[in-house]
Amino acid sequence: MKKIIYLLFVLIAFTNCKNDAKTKPEDVPVATDKSSGRTEKQSDGLTLLKGEFVYFGDAAVLQTHNEIYGVYVTDKMLELNAKAKQYKRQPTDMVDVIIRGKITNKKDDKILWENKVEIVEIINVSKPKESSNVVKLEQ
């Protein structure tokens, strides 16, 4: 009798187990940029980055909400800087940008930031938001 109850208990335990469906990467929604309809990460290996961009001297930096990227100086980066100049009051001002680019962590002689990005496509350049807690030092 004990064997029958034990067998019945094991049988009930196995039949009540759920078959949880694993989510496939294709099923996970990916954020999109509404203006261009492009997805954040596409099969071409490019990533959509939104942040503040500055190019001063020989250094270019893109600061997103959670990372800082050194930007490779290429023709696209120079084009982005030319578009950004119309929104700058001073050469060190940062401008809001949306770009698509290739992110890398490879060591570089000139760019000392851990994360680096090569700009492939410029999606949007806009005026930076006014901040009341900025201190400007003038001579």
Side-chain angles (χ1 to χ4, degrees), residues 34-74:
K34 294 176 185 171
S35 62
S36 68
R38 298 206 170 167
T39 59
E40 219 176 312
K41 291 187 178 181
Q42 293 181 331
S43 60
D44 59 4
L46 301 179
T47 304
L48 182 73
L49 295 170
K50 298 177 185 179
E52 296 177 321
F53 170 79
V54 66
Y55 177 60
F56 185 74
D58 291 335
V61 176
L62 177 69
Q63 180 177 351
T64 64
H65 68 282
N66 61 353
E67 286 290 336
I68 298 176
Y69 298 92
V71 181
Y72 289 107
V73 178
T74 61

Side-chain angles (χ1 to χ4, degrees), residues 53-56 81 84-95 128:
F53 170 79
V54 66
Y55 177 60
F56 185 74
N81 187 51
K85 279 185 181 179
Q86 65 181 336
Y87 299 111
K88 292 182 176 185
R89 289 187 220 152
Q90 297 191 12
T92 55
D93 287 347
M94 297 184 96
V95 176

